[in-house]
Amino acid sequence: MRLIVCSNSAPRWQDGAGLLPRSPGGLVPLLATLLGEHGGDWVCTMPVDGPSGPSRGDVSVEVTRRPCGGTPSAVSRDGSVEVTRPPGGAPPSAALADGPTQATWPPGDGTPVGAPGDGPSAVPGGSVQATWPPGDGTPSAALADGRVQATWPHGGGTPSGVPGDGSVEVTRLPGEVTLHRLRLPRDMVDRHYETIGVRLLLWLFHYLLDTSRQPDGRLAEAWSGYEAVNRAYADRVATLMTGSPDEFVLVNDHHLFLVPEMLGRRGGRRGRVAFFQGLPWCEPDYFGVLPAYIRDRILASLLCADVIGFHCTRWARAFLGCCARYLPGCAVDDDGVTYDGYRTRVVVAPFPLDVAAVERLLDEPATAEWRGRLDREGRGRRMIVRADRIDLWKNLPRGFTAYRNLLEREPGLAGEWWFCAVATPPGRPTERTLALQRECEGMVADLNERFGAPGRPAVSLIYPDPATTRNCVVAALSGADVMVVNPTFDGMNLVAKEALFLGERARLLLSVNAGAYEQLADHVTPVHPFDVEATASAMLDAMAAGDVPAGRAAARRSLREQDANSWLDRMMGARR
């Protein structure tokens, strides 16, 4: 099998550890595991905190070879081409577009033999191709036939096959994994990611739009940016597809809804294209707030894929309902959709818990250090734990309000219990998430003023440093007596699985609107996330229970049996 994945989320590379997520989350670790086992290509967006992209109008293609070392193999800026020889490799050659001239570089800094004028960039009206044969020193951007190719129109145009502002960073890693990180203009990224990805689609699927004002009349320009980024991804993926029947292209999440359509209809391609939706999918009435040109385009594009995956049956059925409502002529059943002469399977494939990674974290020194810090702050009290990113749908305020209601009835609980809330700030906050963060901090301060004591907070909102966030979460969950996961709506919520696996004695209160609830229902206490009093009652019952929850060993065994390959099998149609 040849695997090509694309996601807006970008990983990072760490020598000795391999591909790692840039922030906690389920998608990047899962993709890293799959590519680590199978090899393949990963197309993603250059992170906003990564190396700065070129200014508008520049052409900058940087091809690097890591972690084995070597200098950049090809750099082009402002229409000129500089070619450097990878250490230890064969001399590169340059094939000029207007003829068969080959330029070779002698050892040292000499001028390439046969290069006209001041080198390859001086080809009037033509383009320059720099090609290296495979072998020691092969640049990381090797194509399927073993070559590296970057073509620049003379005079500063955008390189062919390179999206956006004309740059892509290609990195070959051990295990036959190649990263393709797209550098895109900031204004395009903002329109794609923030305006459409967050303020429209992310809020839509979590039922968070202010429908008195959203969507508004300014979508058209932002939608063009969304289309452009999707086109950049599709163009890059198309250069990687070989037509092999064992090729599997996996497109992920709401940032890339148009990529399946842009890759072409299935009649013209071999191999398979899959799309996975990590968010919830909203019901047809709510999905219908989108303008028709966006609503119908998303649905029709997704049905260009061979398979679409969701975390739970509820989200899959909502998607099928949207297709039935808004796409005339489609035929919907429990397993998929037939539309425009093609059949698309719809599958339920919840993300697995990476048990091996969690167990490694348990043994790390940073986890032990966090365990000690939490023990000192808890002062011997039993722990209520939650671990969330500060997102609107994670529902932190209602969790704090439920605990406040308990303390108002029984203030003495603060001497026996400590509410430990581990929080991760959002990567690119909006004014709503910043307001939410301030609200949570204010609620915690009020709770501590009313029910805490010097050196003994009733509630702590803990922001771990990014390098040890996962260690802090694991330390907190493994020491918990009660765990609260109460999102208003959530596509999956892997923290719930981590909590169930790590909290050997703890009771897990889990929102019925979390995608994980379908899998974990037999082992958790259901919480209705909008009902604060019901949440408070469930919390009090869990605090009063002293026995180990029944079936916890069976739940942990079930979580251990799931892995990345079984998830991929579901997506590919081989259930196990």
Side-chain angles (χ1 to χ4, degrees), residues 190-463:
D190 286 345
R191 284 180 285 153
H192 165 260
Y193 182 88
E194 175 131 353
T195 306
I196 299 298
V198 174
R199 295 175 182 271
L200 181 66
L201 298 176
L202 192 69
W203 293 354
L204 171 85
F205 289 118
H206 290 96
Y207 295 91
L208 288 166
L209 289 176
D210 178 356
T211 55
S212 68
R213 296 178 175 85
Q214 296 172 295
D216 60 27
R218 296 172 295 178
L219 280 181
E221 181 182 359
W223 184 250
S224 69
Y226 183 85
E227 289 178 312
V229 172
N230 276 253
R231 171 59 64 191
Y233 271 86
D235 287 350
R236 190 64 184 177
V237 171
T239 68
L240 301 173
M241 295 176 71
T242 63
S244 169
D246 69 346
E247 198 163 64
F248 194 73
V249 179
L250 178 58
V251 185
N252 297 278
D253 251 337
H254 63 291
H255 300 291
L256 303 175
F257 275 148
L258 304 184
V259 169
E261 165 203 288
M262 291 173 174
L263 290 176
R265 300 298 307 192
R266 278 165 283 176
R269 68 170 188 251
R270 300 171 72 193
R272 285 171 289 175
V273 172
F275 185 93
F276 189 81
Q277 169 77 347
L279 303 183
W281 194 278
C282 55
E283 293 296 324
D285 284 343
Y286 200 77
F287 191 69
V289 307
L290 291 177
Y293 73 92
I294 293 178
R295 179 196 70 204
D296 299 349
R297 178 93 178 273
I298 288 172
L299 295 174
S301 175
L302 292 180
L303 295 181
C304 289
D306 298 277
V307 60
I308 306 169
F310 297 89
H311 281 303
C312 70
T313 304
R314 181 177 175 182
W315 312 144
R317 287 177 176 167
F319 170 77
L320 293 171
C322 289
C323 292
R325 173 83 66 89
Y326 298 114
L327 292 182
C330 77
V332 173
D333 56 51
D334 288 343
D335 298 318
V337 180
T338 301
Y339 179 67
D340 198 22
Y342 292 96
R343 173 77 175 170
T344 299
R345 282 192 310 118
V346 174
V347 301
V348 175
F351 279 172
L353 177 64
D354 190 340
V355 171
V358 171
E359 290 179 328
R360 283 196 302 272
L361 284 165
L362 269 174
D363 295 331
E364 288 183 0
T367 303
E369 182 180 342
W370 268 111
R371 198 174 288 121
R373 291 169 64 177
L374 298 177
D375 287 345
R376 289 190 294 274
E377 188 155 355
R379 301 286 293 272
R381 292 171 292 172
R382 301 174 75 189
M383 276 208 303
I384 303 170
V385 172
R386 68 176 304 145
D388 311 272
R389 190 170 56 208
I390 296 182
D391 284 323
L392 301 174
W393 58 91
K394 297 299 184 182
N395 208 20
L396 278 78
R398 287 192 181 93
F400 292 140
T401 300
Y403 193 53
R404 182 197 65 198
N405 292 358
L406 289 185
L407 294 181
E408 287 175 342
R409 295 201 300 263
E410 300 186 42
L413 287 174
E416 303 172 20
W417 288 85
W418 173 49
F419 195 147
C420 171
V422 181
T424 305
R428 294 185 67 182
T430 65
E431 70 284 352
R432 293 178 73 183
T433 50
L434 290 173
L436 174 68
Q437 185 171 357
R438 290 191 296 269
E439 180 185 3
C440 290
E441 291 169 351
M443 295 180 77
V444 168
D446 179 67
L447 282 163
N448 286 330
E449 183 177 343
R450 295 176 61 189
F451 304 106
R456 195 206 67 190
V459 181
S460 295
L461 188 58
I462 296 173
Y463 297 113

